[in-house]
Amino acid sequence: FTKHKLCNSRQYSIYNNMKSRCLYEGNKDYKDYGNRGITICDEWLADFMSFYNWSLENGYQETLTLDRIDNSSNYCPENCRWTTMKEQCSNRRPKGVNK
């Protein structure tokens, strides 16, 4: 029951992928997100349009990816940014680190 006409937008796909990684144990990446306790702020979880509007106000571009500044913290406006894939790859936790 969407309240918007953005179901086919890139932001909606990014939003749904974020939710899936954090909330659904069946997601192949759940072990690195939800299983580690990574969550999504209530504001975004309850309302895609809140995430969408944040995106537009914070530098969203088709060529950028959603990145958590602190990889041990949650998806929220204070901890997320839009970056290039190169920047995001340099902001990964070391392999084998669970936090």
Side-chain angles (χ1 to χ4, degrees), residues 21-37:
R21 287 189 302 269
C22 292
L23 302 175
Y24 303 111
E25 292 181 26
N27 183 296
K28 67 179 180 59
D29 295 318
Y30 179 82
K31 67 185 182 320
D32 295 317
Y33 294 86
N35 196 53
R36 288 181 44 232

Side-chain angles (χ1 to χ4, degrees), residues 45-64:
L45 192 56
D47 182 22
F48 163 71
M49 289 307 295
S50 177
F51 173 79
Y52 179 80
N53 290 330
W54 171 87
S55 295
L56 296 180
E57 294 166 3
N58 287 275
Y60 172 81
Q61 295 177 28
E62 292 287 323
T63 58
L64 300 178

